[in-house]
């Protein structure tokens, strides 16, 4: 394989990784476990707080039913609620 062909393969592989997907906001959807068991709002809040903190997010409960997360990486900040 020539260097030109190798560069083409690398370029196509890089372009294949450049995809985007729309952000889906889910509101008022029931939360159930994998077995179909319903969970309480407190269980959902605890799971969200634990998962966010485990991934390096600063997670706080702003209001009842609202958790706010913030993360800063390499000079960029993202906030979620």
């Amino acid at each position: 394989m020539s260097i030109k062909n190798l560069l083409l393969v690398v370029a196509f592989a890089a372009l294949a990784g450049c995809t985007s997907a729309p952000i889906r906001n889910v509101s008022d959807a029931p939360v159930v476990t994998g077995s179909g068991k319903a969970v309480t709002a407190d269980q959902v809040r605890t799971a969200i707080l634990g998962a966010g903190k485990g991934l390096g997010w600063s997670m706080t409960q702003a209001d009842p039913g609202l958790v706010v997360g913030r993360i800063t990486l390499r000079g960029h900040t993202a906030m979620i609620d």
Side-chain angles (χ1 to χ4, degrees):
M1 182 181 277
S2 71
I3 190 74
K4 184 177 177 181
N5 289 339
L6 180 62
L7 289 175
L8 282 172
V9 169
V10 170
F12 283 124
L15 286 175
C18 297
T19 61
S20 64
I23 295 174
R24 285 184 9 164
N25 290 318
V26 179
S27 299
D28 299 323
V31 179
V32 295
T33 64
S35 64
K37 179 183 171 192
V39 294
T40 67
D42 284 338
Q43 290 171 315
V44 173
R45 178 185 50 78
T46 301
I48 291 171
L49 291 172
K53 288 180 181 179
L55 294 171
W57 288 76
S58 172
M59 304 293 286
T60 56
Q61 183 167 356
D63 290 317
L66 177 63
V67 174
V68 176
R70 178 184 174 114
I71 192 167
T72 302
L73 296 171
R74 298 178 298 277
H76 302 282
T77 300
M79 295 183 70
I80 59 165
D81 61 331

Coordinates of all heavy atoms in Angstrom, one line a residue:
M1 N 0.9 -1.2 0.0 CA 0.0 0.0 0.0 C 0.9 1.2 0.0 O 1.8 1.4 0.8 CB -0.9 0.0 1.2 CG -1.9 1.2 1.3 SD -2.9 1.2 2.8 CE -4.2 0.1 2.3
S2 N 0.6 2.1 -0.9 CA 1.4 3.3 -1.0 C 1.1 4.3 0.1 O 0.0 4.2 0.7 CB 1.3 4.0 -2.4 OG 0.0 4.6 -2.5
I3 N 1.9 5.3 0.3 CA 1.6 6.3 1.4 C 0.4 7.1 1.0 O -0.4 7.5 1.9 CB 2.9 7.2 1.6 CG1 2.7 8.1 2.8 CG2 3.1 8.1 0.4 CD1 2.9 7.4 4.1
K4 N 0.2 7.4 -0.3 CA -1.0 8.1 -0.7 C -2.3 7.3 -0.3 O -3.3 7.9 0.2 CB -1.0 8.3 -2.2 CG -2.1 9.2 -2.7 CD -2.0 9.4 -4.2 CE -3.1 10.2 -4.8 NZ -3.0 10.4 -6.2
N5 N -2.3 6.0 -0.6 CA -3.5 5.2 -0.2 C -3.7 5.2 1.3 O -4.8 5.2 1.8 CB -3.4 3.8 -0.8 CG -3.5 3.8 -2.3 OD1 -4.1 4.7 -2.9 ND2 -3.0 2.7 -2.9
L6 N -2.6 5.1 2.0 CA -2.6 5.0 3.5 C -3.2 6.3 4.0 O -4.1 6.3 4.9 CB -1.3 4.8 4.1 CG -1.2 4.7 5.6 CD1 -2.1 3.6 6.1 CD2 0.2 4.6 6.1
L7 N -2.8 7.5 3.5 CA -3.4 8.8 3.9 C -4.8 8.9 3.6 O -5.6 9.4 4.4 CB -2.6 9.9 3.3 CG -1.2 10.1 3.8 CD1 -0.4 11.2 3.0 CD2 -1.2 10.4 5.3
L8 N -5.3 8.3 2.4 CA -6.7 8.4 2.1 C -7.5 7.5 3.1 O -8.6 7.9 3.5 CB -6.9 7.8 0.7 CG -6.6 8.8 -0.4 CD1 -6.6 8.2 -1.8 CD2 -7.5 10.0 -0.4
V9 N -7.0 6.4 3.4 CA -7.7 5.5 4.4 C -7.8 6.2 5.8 O -8.9 6.2 6.4 CB -7.0 4.1 4.5 CG1 -7.5 3.4 5.7 CG2 -7.1 3.3 3.3
V10 N -6.7 6.9 6.2 CA -6.8 7.6 7.5 C -7.7 8.7 7.4 O -8.5 9.0 8.3 CB -5.3 8.0 7.9 CG1 -5.4 9.0 9.0 CG2 -4.5 6.9 8.1
A11 N -7.8 9.5 6.3 CA -8.7 10.6 6.1 C -10.1 10.1 6.2 O -11.0 10.7 6.8 CB -8.4 11.3 4.8
F12 N -10.4 9.0 5.4 CA -11.8 8.5 5.5 C -12.2 8.0 6.8 O -13.4 8.2 7.3 CB -12.0 7.4 4.4 CG -12.1 8.0 3.0 CD1 -11.3 7.5 2.0 CD2 -13.1 8.9 2.7 CE1 -11.4 8.0 0.7 CE2 -13.2 9.4 1.4 CZ -12.3 8.9 0.4
A13 N -11.3 7.4 7.5 CA -11.6 6.9 8.9 C -11.9 8.1 9.8 O -12.8 8.1 10.7 CB -10.4 6.1 9.4
A14 N -11.1 9.2 9.7 CA -11.3 10.4 10.5 C -12.7 11.0 10.2 O -13.4 11.4 11.1 CB -10.2 11.4 10.3
L15 N -13.0 11.1 8.9 CA -14.3 11.7 8.6 C -15.5 10.8 9.0 O -16.5 11.3 9.4 CB -14.4 11.9 7.1 CG -13.5 13.0 6.5 CD1 -13.6 13.0 5.0 CD2 -14.0 14.4 7.1
A16 N -15.3 9.5 9.1 CA -16.4 8.6 9.5 C -16.7 8.9 11.0 O -17.8 8.7 11.4 CB -16.0 7.2 9.3
G17 N -15.7 9.3 11.7 CA -15.9 9.5 13.2 C -16.6 10.9 13.4 O -17.0 11.2 14.6
C18 N -16.7 11.7 12.5 CA -17.3 13.1 12.6 C -18.8 13.0 12.4 O -19.2 13.3 11.3 CB -16.6 14.1 11.7 SG -14.9 14.3 12.0
T19 N -19.5 12.6 13.3 CA -21.0 12.6 13.2 C -21.6 13.4 14.3 O -20.9 13.7 15.3 CB -21.5 11.1 13.3 OG1 -21.2 10.6 14.6 CG2 -20.9 10.2 12.2
S20 N -22.8 13.8 14.1 CA -23.5 14.5 15.1 C -24.9 13.9 15.3 O -25.5 13.4 14.3 CB -23.6 16.0 14.8 OG -24.3 16.2 13.6
A21 N -25.5 14.1 16.4 CA -26.8 13.6 16.7 C -27.5 14.7 17.5 O -26.9 15.3 18.3 CB -26.8 12.3 17.5
P22 N -28.8 14.9 17.3 CA -29.5 15.9 18.0 C -29.6 15.5 19.5 O -29.6 14.3 19.8 CB -30.9 15.9 17.3 CG -31.0 14.6 16.7 CD -29.7 14.2 16.3
I23 N -29.7 16.5 20.3 CA -29.9 16.3 21.8 C -31.4 16.1 22.0 O -32.2 16.8 21.5 CB -29.4 17.5 22.6 CG1 -27.9 17.7 22.4 CG2 -29.8 17.4 24.0 CD1 -27.4 18.9 23.0
R24 N -31.7 15.0 22.7 CA -33.1 14.7 23.1 C -33.4 15.1 24.5 O -32.7 14.6 25.4 CB -33.3 13.2 22.9 CG -33.4 12.7 21.5 CD -33.8 11.2 21.5 NE -34.1 10.6 22.8 CZ -34.8 9.5 23.0 NH1 -35.1 8.8 22.0 NH2 -35.0 9.1 24.2
N25 N -34.3 15.9 24.7 CA -34.8 16.3 26.0 C -36.0 15.4 26.3 O -37.0 15.5 25.6 CB -35.2 17.8 26.1 CG -33.9 18.6 26.0 OD1 -32.9 18.3 26.6 ND2 -34.0 19.7 25.2
V26 N -36.0 14.7 27.4 CA -37.1 13.8 27.8 C -37.7 14.4 29.0 O -37.1 14.7 30.0 CB -36.6 12.4 28.1 CG1 -37.7 11.5 28.5 CG2 -35.8 11.8 26.9
S27 N -39.0 14.7 28.9 CA -39.8 15.3 30.0 C -40.9 14.4 30.4 O -41.6 13.8 29.5 CB -40.3 16.7 29.6 OG -39.2 17.5 29.3
D28 N -41.2 14.3 31.7 CA -42.3 13.6 32.2 C -42.4 12.2 31.7 O -43.5 11.7 31.5 CB -43.6 14.3 31.9 CG -43.6 15.7 32.6 OD1 -43.1 15.9 33.7 OD2 -44.1 16.7 31.9
A29 N -41.3 11.5 31.6 CA -41.3 10.1 31.2 C -41.2 9.2 32.4 O -40.4 9.5 33.3 CB -40.2 9.8 30.2
P30 N -41.9 8.1 32.5 CA -41.7 7.2 33.7 C -40.4 6.6 33.7 O -39.8 6.3 32.6 CB -42.8 6.2 33.5 CG -43.2 6.2 32.0 CD -42.9 7.6 31.5
V31 N -39.8 6.4 34.9 CA -38.5 5.7 35.0 C -38.8 4.4 35.6 O -39.4 4.2 36.7 CB -37.6 6.6 35.9 CG1 -36.3 5.9 36.1 CG2 -37.4 8.0 35.3
V32 N -38.3 3.3 34.9 CA -38.4 2.0 35.4 C -37.0 1.3 35.3 O -36.2 1.7 34.6 CB -39.4 1.2 34.6 CG1 -40.8 1.7 34.8 CG2 -39.1 1.1 33.2
T33 N -36.9 0.3 36.1 CA -35.6 -0.5 36.1 C -35.7 -1.5 34.9 O -36.7 -1.6 34.2 CB -35.4 -1.3 37.4 OG1 -36.5 -2.3 37.5 CG2 -35.4 -0.4 38.6
G34 N -34.6 -2.2 34.7 CA -34.5 -3.2 33.6 C -35.6 -4.3 33.8 O -36.0 -4.9 32.8
S35 N -35.9 -4.6 35.0 CA -36.9 -5.6 35.2 C -38.4 -5.1 35.2 O -39.3 -5.8 35.4 CB -36.7 -6.2 36.6 OG -36.9 -5.3 37.6
G36 N -38.5 -3.8 34.9 CA -39.9 -3.2 34.8 C -40.4 -2.6 36.1 O -41.5 -2.1 36.1
K37 N -39.6 -2.6 37.2 CA -40.1 -2.1 38.4 C -39.9 -0.6 38.4 O -38.9 0.0 38.1 CB -39.2 -2.7 39.6 CG -39.5 -2.2 40.9 CD -38.6 -2.8 42.0 CE -38.8 -2.1 43.3 NZ -37.8 -2.4 44.3
A38 N -41.0 0.1 38.9 CA -41.0 1.6 39.0 C -40.1 2.0 40.1 O -39.9 1.3 41.1 CB -42.4 2.1 39.2
V39 N -39.4 3.2 40.0 CA -38.6 3.7 41.0 C -39.1 5.0 41.5 O -39.9 5.7 40.8 CB -37.1 3.9 40.5 CG1 -36.5 2.5 40.2 CG2 -37.1 4.7 39.3
T40 N -38.7 5.4 42.7 CA -39.2 6.7 43.3 C -38.3 7.8 42.7 O -37.2 7.7 42.2 CB -39.1 6.7 44.8 OG1 -37.7 6.6 45.2 CG2 -39.9 5.5 45.4
A41 N -38.8 9.1 42.9 CA -38.1 10.3 42.5 C -36.8 10.4 43.3 O -35.8 10.8 42.8 CB -38.9 11.5 42.8
D42 N -36.8 9.9 44.6 CA -35.6 10.0 45.4 C -34.5 9.0 44.9 O -33.3 9.3 44.8 CB -35.9 9.6 46.9 CG -36.5 10.8 47.6 OD1 -36.4 11.9 47.2 OD2 -37.2 10.5 48.6
Q43 N -35.0 7.8 44.4 CA -34.0 6.9 43.8 C -33.4 7.4 42.5 O -32.2 7.2 42.3 CB -34.7 5.5 43.6 CG -35.1 4.8 44.8 CD -35.9 3.6 44.6 OE1 -36.9 3.6 43.8 NE2 -35.6 2.4 45.2
V44 N -34.2 8.1 41.7 CA -33.7 8.7 40.5 C -32.7 9.8 40.8 O -31.7 9.8 40.2 CB -34.9 9.2 39.6 CG1 -34.4 10.0 38.4 CG2 -35.8 8.1 39.2
R45 N -33.1 10.6 41.7 CA -32.2 11.7 42.1 C -30.8 11.2 42.6 O -29.8 11.7 42.2 CB -32.8 12.6 43.2 CG -31.9 13.7 43.7 CD -32.5 14.5 44.9 NE -33.0 13.7 46.0 CZ -32.2 13.1 46.9 NH1 -30.9 13.3 46.9 NH2 -32.7 12.4 47.8
T46 N -30.9 10.2 43.5 CA -29.7 9.6 44.0 C -28.8 9.0 42.9 O -27.6 9.1 42.9 CB -30.0 8.5 45.1 OG1 -30.8 9.1 46.1 CG2 -28.8 7.9 45.6
A47 N -29.5 8.3 42.0 CA -28.7 7.7 40.8 C -28.1 8.8 40.0 O -26.9 8.7 39.5 CB -29.7 6.9 40.0
I48 N -28.8 9.9 39.7 CA -28.2 11.0 38.9 C -27.1 11.6 39.6 O -26.0 11.9 39.0 CB -29.3 12.0 38.5 CG1 -30.3 11.3 37.6 CG2 -28.7 13.2 37.9 CD1 -31.6 12.2 37.3
L49 N -27.2 11.9 40.8 CA -26.2 12.6 41.6 C -24.9 11.7 41.7 O -23.8 12.1 41.4 CB -26.6 12.9 43.0 CG -27.7 14.0 43.1 CD1 -28.2 14.1 44.6 CD2 -27.1 15.4 42.7
G50 N -25.1 10.4 41.9 CA -24.0 9.5 42.0 C -23.3 9.3 40.7 O -22.0 9.3 40.6
A51 N -24.0 9.1 39.6 CA -23.4 8.9 38.3 C -22.7 10.2 37.9 O -21.5 10.1 37.4 CB -24.5 8.6 37.3
G52 N -23.2 11.3 38.1 CA -22.5 12.6 37.7 C -21.2 12.8 38.5 O -20.2 13.1 37.9
K53 N -21.3 12.6 39.8 CA -20.1 12.7 40.6 C -19.0 11.7 40.2 O -17.9 12.0 40.2 CB -20.5 12.6 42.1 CG -21.2 13.9 42.6 CD -21.5 13.8 44.1 CE -22.3 15.0 44.5 NZ -22.7 15.0 45.9
G54 N -19.5 10.5 39.9 CA -18.5 9.5 39.5 C -17.8 9.8 38.2 O -16.7 9.3 38.0
L55 N -18.4 10.7 37.4 CA -17.8 11.0 36.1 C -17.1 12.4 36.2 O -16.7 13.0 35.2 CB -18.8 11.0 35.0 CG -19.4 9.7 34.7 CD1 -20.6 9.8 33.7 CD2 -18.3 8.8 34.1
G56 N -17.0 13.0 37.4 CA -16.3 14.2 37.6 C -17.1 15.5 37.5 O -16.6 16.6 37.5
W57 N -18.4 15.3 37.4 CA -19.3 16.5 37.4 C -19.5 17.0 38.8 O -19.6 16.2 39.8 CB -20.7 16.1 36.8 CG -20.7 15.8 35.4 CD1 -20.2 14.7 34.7 CD2 -21.1 16.7 34.3 NE1 -20.3 14.9 33.4 CE2 -20.9 16.1 33.1 CE3 -21.8 17.9 34.4 CZ2 -21.3 16.6 31.9 CZ3 -22.1 18.5 33.1 CH2 -21.9 17.9 32.0
S58 N -19.8 18.3 39.0 CA -20.2 18.9 40.2 C -21.7 18.9 40.2 O -22.3 19.6 39.4 CB -19.7 20.3 40.4 OG -20.2 20.9 41.5
M59 N -22.4 18.0 41.0 CA -23.8 17.8 40.9 C -24.5 18.4 42.2 O -24.0 18.1 43.3 CB -24.2 16.3 40.8 CG -23.5 15.6 39.6 SD -24.1 16.2 38.0 CE -25.7 15.4 38.0
T60 N -25.5 19.2 42.0 CA -26.3 19.7 43.1 C -27.8 19.7 42.8 O -28.2 19.8 41.7 CB -25.9 21.2 43.4 OG1 -26.1 22.0 42.3 CG2 -24.4 21.3 43.9
Q61 N -28.6 19.6 43.9 CA -30.0 19.6 43.7 C -30.4 21.1 43.8 O -30.3 21.7 44.9 CB -30.8 18.7 44.7 CG -32.2 18.7 44.4 CD -33.0 17.7 45.2 OE1 -32.4 16.9 45.9 NE2 -34.3 17.7 45.1
A62 N -30.9 21.7 42.7 CA -31.3 23.1 42.7 C -32.7 23.3 43.3 O -32.9 24.2 44.1 CB -31.2 23.7 41.3
D63 N -33.6 22.5 42.9 CA -35.0 22.5 43.3 C -35.5 21.1 43.4 O -34.9 20.2 42.9 CB -35.9 23.3 42.3 CG -35.6 24.8 42.2 OD1 -35.4 25.4 43.3 OD2 -35.5 25.3 41.1
P64 N -36.7 20.9 44.0 CA -37.2 19.6 44.0 C -37.5 19.1 42.5 O -38.1 19.9 41.7 CB -38.6 19.7 44.7 CG -38.4 20.9 45.6 CD -37.5 21.8 44.8
G65 N -36.9 18.0 42.1 CA -37.1 17.5 40.8 C -36.1 18.1 39.8 O -36.2 17.8 38.6
L66 N -35.1 18.9 40.3 CA -34.1 19.5 39.4 C -32.7 19.4 39.9 O -32.4 19.9 41.0 CB -34.4 21.0 39.2 CG -33.4 21.8 38.3 CD1 -33.4 21.2 36.9 CD2 -33.7 23.3 38.3
V67 N -31.9 18.6 39.2 CA -30.5 18.5 39.5 C -29.7 19.2 38.5 O -29.9 19.2 37.3 CB -30.1 17.0 39.5 CG1 -28.6 16.8 39.7 CG2 -30.8 16.2 40.6
V68 N -28.7 20.0 39.0 CA -27.8 20.8 38.1 C -26.4 20.2 38.1 O -25.9 19.9 39.2 CB -27.8 22.3 38.5 CG1 -26.8 23.1 37.7 CG2 -29.2 22.9 38.4
G69 N -25.8 20.0 37.0 CA -24.5 19.5 36.9 C -23.6 20.5 36.1 O -24.0 21.2 35.2
R70 N -22.3 20.5 36.5 CA -21.3 21.4 35.9 C -20.0 20.6 35.8 O -19.6 20.0 36.8 CB -21.2 22.6 36.7 CG -20.1 23.6 36.2 CD -20.0 24.8 37.1 NE -18.9 25.6 36.7 CZ -19.1 26.9 36.2 NH1 -20.2 27.4 36.2 NH2 -18.0 27.6 35.8
I71 N -19.3 20.7 34.7 CA -18.0 20.1 34.5 C -17.1 21.1 33.7 O -17.6 21.8 32.8 CB -18.1 18.7 33.9 CG1 -16.7 18.0 34.0 CG2 -18.5 18.8 32.4 CD1 -16.8 16.5 33.7
T72 N -15.9 21.2 34.1 CA -14.9 22.0 33.3 C -13.7 21.1 32.9 O -13.1 20.4 33.8 CB -14.4 23.1 34.2 OG1 -15.5 23.9 34.6 CG2 -13.4 24.0 33.4
L73 N -13.5 21.0 31.6 CA -12.4 20.2 31.1 C -11.6 21.0 30.1 O -12.2 21.6 29.2 CB -12.9 18.9 30.4 CG -13.6 17.9 31.3 CD1 -14.3 16.8 30.4 CD2 -12.6 17.3 32.2
R74 N -10.3 21.1 30.2 CA -9.4 21.7 29.3 C -9.9 23.1 28.9 O -9.9 23.6 27.8 CB -9.3 20.9 28.0 CG -8.6 19.6 28.2 CD -8.5 18.7 27.0 NE -9.8 18.4 26.4 CZ -10.6 17.4 26.7 NH1 -10.2 16.6 27.7 NH2 -11.7 17.2 26.1
G75 N -10.4 23.9 29.9 CA -10.8 25.3 29.7 C -12.3 25.4 29.2 O -12.7 26.5 29.0
H76 N -13.0 24.3 29.0 CA -14.4 24.3 28.5 C -15.3 23.9 29.7 O -15.0 23.0 30.4 CB -14.6 23.4 27.3 CG -13.7 23.7 26.2 ND1 -13.9 24.7 25.3 CD2 -12.6 23.1 25.7 CE1 -13.0 24.8 24.4 NE2 -12.2 23.8 24.6
T77 N -16.4 24.6 29.8 CA -17.4 24.3 30.8 C -18.7 23.9 30.2 O -19.2 24.5 29.2 CB -17.6 25.5 31.7 OG1 -16.4 25.9 32.3 CG2 -18.6 25.2 32.8
A78 N -19.3 22.8 30.7 CA -20.6 22.4 30.3 C -21.5 22.4 31.6 O -21.1 22.0 32.6 CB -20.5 21.0 29.7
M79 N -22.8 22.8 31.4 CA -23.8 22.8 32.4 C -25.0 22.1 31.9 O -25.4 22.2 30.8 CB -24.1 24.2 32.9 CG -22.9 24.9 33.5 SD -23.3 26.5 34.1 CE -24.4 26.1 35.5
I80 N -25.6 21.3 32.8 CA -26.8 20.5 32.5 C -27.8 20.7 33.6 O -27.5 21.0 34.7 CB -26.5 19.0 32.3 CG1 -25.9 18.4 33.5 CG2 -25.7 18.8 31.1 CD1 -25.9 16.9 33.5
D81 N -29.1 20.5 33.3 CA -30.1 20.4 34.4 C -31.1 19.5 34.0 O -31.2 19.0 32.8 CB -30.7 21.8 34.7 CG -31.4 22.4 33.5 OD1 -31.0 22.1 32.3 OD2 -32.3 23.2 33.7

